[in-house]
Amino acid sequence: MVKVGIIGGSGLDNPEILAEPQDIEVTTPYGDPSAPLVCGTIGKVPVAVLARHGRDHAIYPSGVNFRANIWALKSQGCTHILAATAVGSLRREIAPGHLVFPGQFIDFTRRRETTFFDRGPVVHTPMAEPFCPHLRRLLAETAAELGIPAHSDKTVITVEGPRFSTKAESHMFRAWSADVINMSTVPEVNLAREQKMHYATAAMSTDYDCWHEEEAPVTWEMIVDTMRKNAHNVIRLFVAAIPKIAAYDDICQR
Ligand SMILES: [Zn+2]
């Protein structure tokens, strides 16, 4: 039985895209998730929406209880996760407003709980392909159908934040082959993988970080403005992709 968890980032915290939405309060052995889950259906597929930073966007990136969020979605029966996130672009061709579907991550976080396996027998989770390739392909195909500019199989670097990068850091991340930068993909993706959930990210490029000398340095106001203009693309994408996920479930190989 397919059930899709949607983790909304900035601009997608309260999507009014569900039929028969219902708030469900969940608690977990790791504490409370960022917000109550909103459960309902999209195209007859059961979904649960979670606002990563809380409904009033009051939880800063390092304060997100990622383990509680993933556990809450898993405990409600979610098999797949579509995560939306704002990213800065480290590549000229990834313009503000474009979507990115990462295939790899680089973990540059410093102070987060990154595993469910911190007690009991030692477990090492394979992470060569952290994102679900099937879900990623499905998102890329759907974006193309909708005419949304998008880039697939890119590398996201997640930094601790909440500050943005220095120019030196931004150039270093480019030299490391990172394509976009954010503060929330890690440890969300690896925790979902530990729970054997299919996880894909729709990353919304909002700005050029600070490596791009011709562009004004990024500010939060600039990002919020672009986010508003582009969040509806991700909603369109998810609404179109979710009915396909139920149909394609068993061809995914993990
Ligand atoms: Zn998968």
Side-chain angles (χ1 to χ4, degrees), residues 30-98:
Y30 303 95
D32 292 337
S34 298
L37 303 183
V38 188
C39 295
T41 60
I42 292 177
K44 296 184 179 156
V45 181
V47 299
V49 178
L50 174 59
R52 181 187 294 113
H53 299 283
R55 288 189 176 168
D56 50 3
H57 206 275
I59 306 173
Y60 87 126
S62 305
V64 173
N65 190 336
F66 290 99
R67 292 198 296 186
N69 285 355
I70 295 299
W71 190 277
L73 292 170
K74 180 78 176 183
S75 73
Q76 290 298 305
C78 290
T79 52
H80 297 62
I81 292 179
L82 297 178
T85 177
V87 294
S89 172
L90 298 170
R91 301 292 158 195
R92 192 177 301 272
E93 66 272 19
I94 302 174
H98 289 193

Side-chain angles (χ1 to χ4, degrees), residues 58-135:
I59 306 173
Y60 87 126
S62 305
V64 173
N65 190 336
F66 290 99
R67 292 198 296 186
N69 285 355
I70 295 299
W71 190 277
L73 292 170
K74 180 78 176 183
S75 73
Q76 290 298 305
C78 290
T79 52
H80 297 62
I81 292 179
L82 297 178
T85 177
V87 294
S89 172
L90 298 170
R91 301 292 158 195
R92 192 177 301 272
E93 66 272 19
I94 302 174
H98 289 193
L99 296 188
V100 176
F101 309 120
Q104 292 289 314
F105 71 73
I106 296 172
D107 180 4
F108 209 61
T109 67
R110 293 179 165 86
R111 40 181 291 248
R112 303 183 182 193
E113 299 289 352
T114 60
T115 183
F116 289 109
F117 300 127
D118 57 348
R119 63 198 70 175
V122 175
V123 175
H124 300 292
T125 305
M127 207 57 60
E129 294 290 342
F131 299 88
C132 173
H134 164 62
L135 267 187

Side-chain angles (χ1 to χ4, degrees), residues 79-80 131-135 193 197-199 249 252-254:
T79 52
H80 297 62
F131 299 88
C132 173
H134 164 62
L135 267 187
R193 184 139 177 90
M197 301 164 85
H198 307 286
Y199 181 105
D249 180 47
C252 187
Q253 300 179 352
R254 298 302 298 256

Side-chain angles (χ1 to χ4, degrees), residues 12 15 17 42 82 97 99 139 142-149 204 229-244:
L12 277 175
I17 54 178
I42 292 177
L82 297 178
L99 296 188
L139 289 179
T142 305
E145 287 164 16
L146 295 172
I148 301 171
M204 294 170 278
K229 290 173 185 160
N230 293 292
H232 81 277
N233 272 342
V234 169
I235 291 172
R236 284 169 65 217
L237 177 72
F238 285 177
V239 167
I242 282 171
K244 300 180 187 175

Side-chain angles (χ1 to χ4, degrees), residues 208-225:
Y208 275 117
D209 205 48
C210 65
W211 64 273
H212 199 326
E213 301 282 355
E214 298 147 39
E215 297 286 328
V218 49
T219 68
W220 179 242
E221 287 70 27
M222 289 166 55
I223 288 181
V224 168
D225 190 49

